[in-house]
Amino acid sequence: MGLFDVFKGDSAQAMTPKMALGASLLYMMSADGNVEQEEIGQLVSVLGGDRAALDSALKYVRKSNVDTFLQTAPAILSEPQKRCILINLCDSLLADGSAAHTEQALFGRFLTAFGFSEDAFRPHFETIALKNDKSVFNT
């Protein structure tokens, strides 16, 4: 332990898949500079009210930038976990009815880091877009 390590606070906690889910959503929520109420509600819902997972994700996001996350997270996630995170990210970025350019760009970075192409993800995107399109009931 170094002389000044006492000022670092908590030591870095090992990332878990659930923490990666929470951190991913936090990075996406903050991508456009505005955190909407719908996004917060979705984050709490997706984490199943797990306050410890939310706290761990918040601590991680405060200490690590998205580039570090995108280099670290894929190695600890299974294919279904990566797909689940991407689906939740997409749903989150569409929750407020629009997808800012910064959100779209960040989502593209997640796709690449997690080993997915836009074409491979397209069926999920179309389903989520339809889920959020309430205009289909305006007939």
Side-chain angles (χ1 to χ4, degrees), residues 28 32 34 36 38-39 89-104 125 132:
M28 185 58 70
D32 65 357
N34 297 315
E36 302 293 332
E38 296 89 356
E39 294 170 321
L89 286 178
C90 187
D91 194 30
S92 178
L93 78 94
L94 294 176
D96 63 1
S98 65
H101 178 70
T102 53
E103 292 172 318
Q104 293 175 40
F125 178 85
N132 289 316

Side-chain angles (χ1 to χ4, degrees), residues 7-120:
F7 297 108
K8 290 183 179 179
D10 294 345
S11 60
Q13 185 177 4
M15 184 181 299
T16 65
K18 197 166 191 179
M19 184 192 339
L21 171 61
S24 296
L25 287 165
L26 286 166
Y27 286 122
M28 185 58 70
M29 287 170 43
S30 60
D32 65 357
N34 297 315
V35 177
E36 302 293 332
Q37 188 62 39
E38 296 89 356
E39 294 170 321
I40 294 168
Q42 183 178 16
L43 174 62
V44 171
S45 174
V46 167
L47 292 176
D50 185 342
R51 185 67 187 178
L54 178 58
D55 289 345
S56 294
L58 281 167
K59 286 178 186 175
Y60 181 88
V61 168
R62 285 183 186 127
K63 293 180 181 180
S64 303
N65 65 33
V66 71
D67 295 323
T68 301
F69 175 81
L70 291 175
Q71 291 171 357
T72 306
I76 64 127
L77 298 170
S78 67
E79 280 299 308
Q81 290 167 338
K82 291 174 187 174
R83 191 175 306 113
C84 179
I85 288 173
L86 290 170
I87 289 168
N88 278 283
L89 286 178
C90 187
D91 194 30
S92 178
L93 78 94
L94 294 176
D96 63 1
S98 65
H101 178 70
T102 53
E103 292 172 318
Q104 293 175 40
L106 181 58
F107 185 75
R109 292 177 63 200
F110 271 89
L111 278 175
T112 300
F114 286 6
F116 286 80
S117 67
E118 285 188 13
D119 287 339

